[in-house]
Amino acid sequence: MRQRVRELEIIAELHPQFGGDMGLLREMVRAASDAGADVAKVQLYDARALLGDAWAYLELSRPQLEALRGWCEQERIELMASVFDHERLSWCREIGMQRYKIASRTVRDDPRLCDAVLSDGKETIVSLGYWSGADLPFRDRGHVKYLHCKSLYPAMWEDMQDFPDDFAARGLDGYSDHTLGIDFCLLAIARGANVLEKHFTLDKTRGRDTERAHVCSMTPGELHTLRRIGGSLWRARASLKQPA
């Protein structure tokens, strides 16, 4: 696995764009690593319980998760997952996942699962798309990173009026993006984001019931550009904080 960078970190979300095709998922892991992502992320859930029977094809089994872990090790990219129930949290523990993700809907709907995830003491990344509290959740947990998020697929530019002017001033570590293109990702870096999460696809025209996720995903070319230009932006921003 690639040594995780300590500057700008890019998370490539592969779910649901792989469409239940494990061969495609394998290709996406390789492409995300080659284009510069630090993390390949999936979602672990009981599809029928969470979304309904029509979405069962997107569910990953425990053996499939094991295969995915092996692919990520081969491609030297970290595997991360959003977990949506206690059983799948145990899968992540058993395979030795380094960090976790808590999705916006879990923050809103399942505080017991959030407590279970956080009780492991591992770094946990939390999206805030559905959070409406006056303060950040889990502030007493020192191992949490918070991502600004607009939970629309896609989120249009006119939906982004609450975009942070200064991420650090709002206690935010980064940004989970659902807009078209990578413009808002670059803006987030300029305004202080150190972690970026964005859906990833090999083909924006591909999809079954997942077209909305594909259209707001980044391609390998866009990911490469985000790594190159975003990394330069991050370093330029960091240099301004250095004492003269």
Side-chain angles (χ1 to χ4, degrees), residues 133-236:
D135 201 358
L136 296 172
F138 323 124
R139 288 301 298 268
D140 58 332
R141 313 291 184 103
H143 53 285
V144 177
K145 289 186 174 181
Y146 297 100
L147 305 186
H148 178 75
C149 180
K150 180 65 69 173
S151 295
L152 298 171
Y153 299 85
M156 308 306 290
W157 284 21
E158 56 265 29
D159 299 316
M160 304 297 287
Q161 299 306 309
D162 62 344
F163 197 74
D165 291 324
D166 184 327
F167 277 72
R170 287 176 54 173
L172 300 171
D173 299 279
Y175 172 51
S176 180
D177 180 72
H178 298 143
T179 63
L180 307 178
I182 61 171
D183 302 75
F184 268 89
C185 292
L186 295 172
L187 180 60
I189 297 166
R191 293 185 176 185
N194 298 311
V195 180
L196 292 177
E197 178 188 48
K198 188 170 176 67
H199 289 263
F200 178 74
T201 184
L202 302 184
D203 181 357
K204 292 189 184 187
T205 67
R206 187 176 223 147
R208 175 177 164 184
D209 300 313
T210 60
E211 288 86 353
R212 291 186 303 163
H214 281 278
V215 74
C216 60
S217 296
M218 57 184 170
T219 62
E222 287 172 318
L223 172 53
H224 178 76
T225 300
L226 182 58
R227 168 55 70 197
R228 179 174 56 85
I229 299 178
S232 295
L233 271 176
W234 190 95
R235 289 186 291 274

Side-chain angles (χ1 to χ4, degrees), residues 42-54:
V42 293
Q43 301 173 27
L44 299 176
Y45 47 63
D46 178 334
R48 290 174 176 83
L50 188 71
L51 303 170
D53 289 346

Side-chain angles (χ1 to χ4, degrees), residues 61-182:
S61 68
R62 171 61 190 273
Q64 288 171 329
L65 180 63
E66 291 275 5
L68 178 58
R69 178 184 63 172
W71 299 335
C72 288
E73 289 174 351
Q74 291 172 21
E75 300 301 334
R76 301 178 62 80
I77 188 169
E78 181 183 346
L79 172 62
M80 186 187 293
S82 296
V83 292
F84 288 85
D85 59 54
H86 292 267
E87 179 184 3
R88 285 157 180 82
L89 174 58
S90 70
W91 295 358
C92 294
R93 289 168 173 160
E94 290 160 6
I95 70 168
M97 195 169 289
Q98 299 178 52
R99 298 183 289 170
Y100 303 128
K101 173 76 189 298
I102 297 179
S104 297
R105 66 186 295 167
T106 306
V107 176
R108 180 191 64 187
D109 297 339
D110 200 341
R112 290 183 61 190
L113 179 59
C114 293
D115 286 341
V117 172
L118 293 168
S119 70
D120 277 11
K122 295 182 178 180
E123 182 177 289
T124 302
I125 296 174
V126 175
S127 281
L128 298 172
Y130 290 129
W131 179 251
S132 58
D135 201 358
L136 296 172
F138 323 124
R139 288 301 298 268
D140 58 332
R141 313 291 184 103
H143 53 285
V144 177
K145 289 186 174 181
Y146 297 100
L147 305 186
H148 178 75
C149 180
K150 180 65 69 173
S151 295
L152 298 171
Y153 299 85
M156 308 306 290
W157 284 21
E158 56 265 29
D159 299 316
M160 304 297 287
Q161 299 306 309
D162 62 344
F163 197 74
D165 291 324
D166 184 327
F167 277 72
R170 287 176 54 173
L172 300 171
D173 299 279
Y175 172 51
S176 180
D177 180 72
H178 298 143
T179 63
L180 307 178
I182 61 171

